[in-house]
Amino acid sequence: MRGNIGQLMKQAQVMQENMRRMQEQLASMEVEGQAGSGAVKVVMTCKHEVRRVSIDASLLGDDREMLEDLVAAAFNDAARKVEAMVSEKMGGMTAGLGLPPGFKMPF
């Protein structure tokens, strides 16, 4: 019995270290969200930190509301891509743990 607990503790420590490394990796990974056929682009890290926003000069006219909508859409696109990448990268780490559907790591 005692050996099983020791083994579980070792596995937990290894997983914790792997999780820490994965979080560091994700912090440096970038994704690009786009809207308006690429007229508005947002580059975001997988920690949801925005690095760059690019707006095509042709959009800097009078239609402010359209530009605002495109910027919001590009941010949302980048955020969705971040979530997909994080799920993909973390999915390999949590495989075999028997976590319930929808359970998000890290806690």
Side-chain angles (χ1 to χ4, degrees), residues 10-27:
K10 281 184 181 182
Q11 287 177 337
Q13 287 173 338
V14 168
M15 186 173 173
Q16 187 176 24
E17 179 61 26
N18 289 342
M19 186 75 77
R20 185 192 61 76
R21 274 194 235 120
M22 182 59 66
Q23 287 174 334
E24 287 175 2
Q25 256 185 346
L26 287 170

Side-chain angles (χ1 to χ4, degrees), residues 7-90:
Q7 185 65 26
L8 282 173
M9 292 299 288
K10 281 184 181 182
Q11 287 177 337
Q13 287 173 338
V14 168
M15 186 173 173
Q16 187 176 24
E17 179 61 26
N18 289 342
M19 186 75 77
R20 185 192 61 76
R21 274 194 235 120
M22 182 59 66
Q23 287 174 334
E24 287 175 2
Q25 256 185 346
L26 287 170
S28 65
M29 296 175 113
E30 294 181 345
V31 299
E32 180 179 87
Q34 297 184 17
S37 300
V40 177
K41 298 177 184 176
V42 173
V43 176
M44 181 183 288
T45 69
C46 286
K47 290 196 72 146
H48 294 94
E49 294 174 352
V50 175
R51 295 279 169 94
R52 288 182 300 284
V53 175
S54 173
I55 300 172
D56 188 274
S58 65
L59 296 175
L60 300 176
D62 296 331
D63 197 352
R64 179 179 169 181
E65 286 182 28
M66 181 188 70
L67 178 56
E68 290 171 346
D69 289 344
L70 289 172
V71 170
F75 272 90
N76 290 333
D77 184 42
R80 280 189 294 278
K81 289 179 180 179
V82 164
E83 293 303 318
M85 184 172 287
V86 169
S87 292
E88 176 187 324
K89 297 292 183 184
M90 291 300 208

